[in-house]
């Protein structure tokens, strides 16, 4: 199973996964229309992987073109990343999110059925837990309704997969529920490329340190946590990438299974700022602000199942992730 189709392979998690796949002897075939990525990432991939991958600039919402890729390349496994991912934007243009994320997914699934693909890995999110009852979530923690159309596209994506498996046994499917991926490849050749003003904490921190933003606003310091700020499970993107290799190597036929991809450890927003100051040697300017609507107080993964059944465990620390994110931000200046 060497040829793997990676939809959205030029995106943030997708590009790091392509590197991990090439390192393990796979040949990823990236399909990506670069709507939310850039040639900078493809150049970085070329430097890291040489000819170890192929790139096709196509929109997976175009079913005919997508089917021709399956026809031409003898695809046996698919890792499906391609999707819009901004929580805030999805509230403004929900139809664009439902159209792109769900039609894209259904086209890929139809192609997998038609061309007898053996394995399908779906990019899901801890957003499917909604506001959990406990702080730590297990894979069988009841799902709650997400807070945004983006979250619903992941929630519905999992539902579509469940329904598909109810009456048929189409292909081995693994849903990976990512917690908060951060960081970049240690080479500084690929990393996160937010479009416009970042919504997520890490790119906001690094852009503030680089002088692009004036200061970070910490969204709320009156939460019931030790320092009053929200707690998340931040995980190095290279660890997330390696989880996909383990998903492909996962033995035996599992009709449909779900895995938490986190570290099992929660970190608060202020702890992230303090750690960033230590690794960067800077003093990040920040202000305490109001809570952001829709934010949950605290969530982190239980990762026992991923360790036991997927044979995967996060190896890198938050410090390493912050160091690599800062390195990437500094490299990006060279492309201005
Ligand atoms: N935060 C700030 N200031 C900022 C940005 C973020 O204080 O400028 C805080 C947020 O309030 C939150 C934490 O930093 O407490 C993390 O926020 P992110 O936006 O980086 O991440 P979220 O946990 O809100 O969102 C992530 C993914 C989503 C996914 C969601 C599931 O980005 O794709 O987890 O909970 F849907």
């Amino acid at each position: 199973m060497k040829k793997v189709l990676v939809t959205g392979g030029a995106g943030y998690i997708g590009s790091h996964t392509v590197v991990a796949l090439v390192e393990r002897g796979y040949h990823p075939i990236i399909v990506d229309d670069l709507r939310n990525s850039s040639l900078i990432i493809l150049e970085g991939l070329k430097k890291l992987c040489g000819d170890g991958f192929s790139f096709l600039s196509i929109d997976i919402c175009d079913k005919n073109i997508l089917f021709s890729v399956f026809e031409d390349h003898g695809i046996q496994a698919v890792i499906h990343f391609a999707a819009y991912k901004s929580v805030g934007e999805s509230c403004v243009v929900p139809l664009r999110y439902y159209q792109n994320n769900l039609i894209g997914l259904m086209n890929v699934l139809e192609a997998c059925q038609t061309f007898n693909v053996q394995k399908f890995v779906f990019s899901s999110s801890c957003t499917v837990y909604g506001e959990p009852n406990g702080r730590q979530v297990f894979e069988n923690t009841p799902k709650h309704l997400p807070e945004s159309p983006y979250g619903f596209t992941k929630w519905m994506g999992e539902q579509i997969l469940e329904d598909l498996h109810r009456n048929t046994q189409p292909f081995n499917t693994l849903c990976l529920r990512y917690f908060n991926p951060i960081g970049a490849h240690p080479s500084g050749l690929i990393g996160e490329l937010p479009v416009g003003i970042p919504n997520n904490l890490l790119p906001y921190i690094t852009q503030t340190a680089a002088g692009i933003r004036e200061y970070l606003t910490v969204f709320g310091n009156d939460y019931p946590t030790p320092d009053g700020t929200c707690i998340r499970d931040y995980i190095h993107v290279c660890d997330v990438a390696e989880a996909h290799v383990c998903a492909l190597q996962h033995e035996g036929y599992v009709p449909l299974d779900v895995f938490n991809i986190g570290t099992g450890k929660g970190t608060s927003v202020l702890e992230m700022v303090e750690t960033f100051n230590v690794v960067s040697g800077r003093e990040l300017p920040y202000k305490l602000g109001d809570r952001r609507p829709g934010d949950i107080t605290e969530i982190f993964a239980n990762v026992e199942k991923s360790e036991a059944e997927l044979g995967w465990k996060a190896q890198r620390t938050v410090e390493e992730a912050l160091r690599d994110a800062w390195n990437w931000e500094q490299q990006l200046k060279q492309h201005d």
Side-chain angles (χ1 to χ4, degrees):
M1 207 195 289
K2 292 293 176 197
K3 272 192 181 178
V4 183
L5 188 79
V6 184
T7 74
Y12 177 41
I13 306 174
S15 58
H16 290 81
T17 301
V18 165
V19 175
L21 289 169
V22 173
E23 280 170 358
R24 300 292 189 88
Y26 290 93
H27 185 93
I29 296 162
I30 299 177
V31 292
D32 197 309
D33 64 3
L34 299 185
R35 220 182 300 180
N36 260 342
S37 185
S38 128
L39 287 174
I40 296 173
I41 301 298
L42 283 180
E43 283 164 20
L45 281 177
K46 201 85 196 133
K47 285 185 186 147
L48 286 165
C49 306
D51 294 331
F53 71 97
S54 308
F55 170 73
L56 303 166
S57 176
I58 69 148
D59 178 357
I60 59 163
C61 289
D62 185 331
K63 200 161 105 179
N64 291 336
I65 293 182
L66 180 69
F67 271 49
S68 70
V69 172
F70 279 76
E71 223 159 51
D72 295 347
H73 292 272
I75 308 289
Q76 287 169 300
V78 174
I79 306 180
H80 177 53
F81 293 105
Y84 290 147
K85 61 167 189 180
S86 164
V87 172
E89 185 185 56
S90 76
C91 299
V92 182
V93 284
L95 284 185
R96 203 185 291 170
Y97 271 67
Y98 287 121
Q99 258 161 10
N100 185 57
N101 294 8
L102 295 179
I103 291 175
L105 170 65
M106 289 188 288
N107 283 349
V108 174
L109 290 176
E110 212 181 312
C112 289
Q113 278 191 317
T114 308
F115 294 95
N116 288 322
V117 163
Q118 291 163 27
K119 182 154 312 210
F120 181 76
V121 183
F122 178 58
S123 286
S124 189
S125 163
C126 66
T127 194
V128 300
Y129 295 113
E131 174 87 58
N133 297 331
R135 298 157 35 205
Q136 188 184 39
V137 288
F138 295 72
E139 285 81 353
N140 59 5
T141 295
K143 289 196 229 174
H144 287 122
L145 295 183
E147 293 284 346
S148 66
Y150 157 77
F152 268 105
T153 66
K154 293 296 173 188
W155 196 96
M156 287 181 191
E158 286 199 3
Q159 187 60 45
I160 289 168
L161 288 166
E162 265 182 50
D163 292 340
L164 190 61
H165 281 79
R166 210 181 301 282
N167 298 315
T168 54
Q169 301 243 308
F171 33 74
N172 186 177
T173 299
L174 291 89
C175 295
L176 303 186
R177 290 179 181 158
Y178 314 139
F179 282 68
N180 288 59
I182 59 166
H185 193 270
S187 64
L189 290 168
I190 56 170
E192 191 169 6
L193 268 186
V195 180
I197 301 172
N199 296 299
N200 294 117
L201 180 63
L202 240 291
Y204 211 101
I205 287 180
T206 55
Q207 288 196 3
T208 304
I212 301 168
R213 313 278 158 214
E214 203 182 338
Y215 58 86
L216 169 78
T217 303
V218 174
F219 295 140
N221 69 331
D222 57 352
Y223 284 97
T225 61
D227 65 19
T229 63
C230 291
I231 292 176
R232 296 285 183 277
D233 188 337
Y234 297 96
I235 173 166
H236 198 298
V237 66
C238 293
D239 280 324
V240 176
E242 281 160 15
H244 295 80
V245 179
C246 293
L248 287 187
Q249 290 176 345
H250 190 264
E251 295 277 324
Y253 180 81
V254 185
L256 173 64
D257 214 346
V258 177
F259 295 96
N260 281 345
I261 304 302
T263 65
K265 186 177 168 289
T267 307
S268 75
V269 177
L270 286 179
E271 283 170 337
M272 292 296 279
V273 172
E274 280 159 24
T275 312
F276 180 79
N277 287 344
V278 173
V279 302
S280 66
R282 295 182 173 226
E283 194 67 32
L284 191 84
Y286 74 86
K287 290 187 183 172
L288 299 173
D290 292 338
R291 289 184 178 198
R292 181 171 68 177
D295 268 344
I296 54 172
T297 305
E298 178 168 5
I299 186 166
F300 57 94
N302 178 286
V303 286
E304 282 162 22
K305 183 181 171 193
S306 299
E307 279 181 46
E309 295 178 29
L310 210 53
W312 168 88
K313 189 179 191 305
Q315 304 292 336
R316 298 158 179 90
T317 61
V318 164
E319 284 81 359
E320 285 173 83
L322 289 168
R323 183 202 63 202
D324 292 338
W326 179 225
N327 179 40
W328 164 243
E329 183 70 54
Q330 291 169 299
Q331 302 296 320
L332 263 182
K333 273 197 187 145
Q334 296 169 5
H335 293 282
D336 285 348

